[in-house]
Amino acid sequence: MEKILHVLCACFGMAAWLAVNGCWIELPLLVSVMPESWNLASHMSIIIQCANIGPLVITLLDMYCPSRLKLKPLIYILLLIGLCAQFLMFFFWNDTVEINGSSYSVPFLFFSLPLHSLTVLPQFLSSPL
């Protein structure tokens, strides 16, 4: 039973990073379509680092107002946000926005933030605080 538990924990940890790794694997295909070209990698790195703010906020909430932090509704809300972000990214990933005369793939970057944020939070919320 203990070996099965270790395998399941490892699968849970690996599954959480599929969204991030999937974006990096698709990067050679994305740069040929997105207006940022190879600068898209640096934009994605910044988005991934911004996603690490979520665990910091959860830690601060747990430290300073633990009675107000309810994990069960929070997990459901995060899953709903992730589902909506993936659904909307399906339709708008290749749309661009013109800012100061240059095209940017703002919808792709905007919808990838919740997906990368959800990569970090499930492992954090399931571990003992």
Side-chain angles (χ1 to χ4, degrees):
M1 181 68 177
E2 197 171 306
K3 289 181 182 180
I4 293 173
L5 183 62
H6 287 292
V7 169
L8 290 175
C9 287
C11 289
F12 177 74
M14 288 184 291
W17 284 95
L18 283 177
V20 173
N21 291 335
C23 286
W24 287 111
I25 288 170
E26 297 294 325
L27 189 62
L29 298 173
L30 290 172
V31 297
S32 65
V33 178
M34 299 294 191
E36 290 90 356
S37 185
W38 283 103
N39 291 331
L40 186 63
S42 60
H43 292 272
M44 287 174 49
S45 295
I46 292 169
I47 294 284
I48 291 169
Q49 294 308 314
C50 288
N52 290 323
I53 294 172
L56 178 64
V57 170
I58 299 291
T59 302
L60 293 175
L61 284 174
D62 187 52
M63 285 174 41
Y64 294 111
C65 47
S67 61
R68 301 181 91 190
L69 182 65
K70 306 289 186 233
L71 289 181
K72 190 174 181 178
L74 177 64
I75 292 170
Y76 284 124
I77 289 169
L78 292 173
L79 289 173
L80 183 64
I81 290 170
L83 180 69
C84 292
Q86 281 189 329
F87 181 76
L88 291 172
M89 188 176 297
F90 176 76
F91 293 107
F92 300 113
W93 71 271
N94 59 349
D95 287 356
T96 58
V97 175
E98 186 138 342
I99 301 172
N100 291 335
S102 299
S103 292
Y104 295 96
S105 53
V106 173
F108 175 78
L109 297 171
F110 179 76
F111 292 129
S112 65
L113 177 63
L115 296 178
H116 296 308
S117 180
L118 289 173
T119 299
V120 177
L121 284 172
Q123 291 177 341
F124 181 76
L125 291 176
S126 65
S127 65
L129 297 175

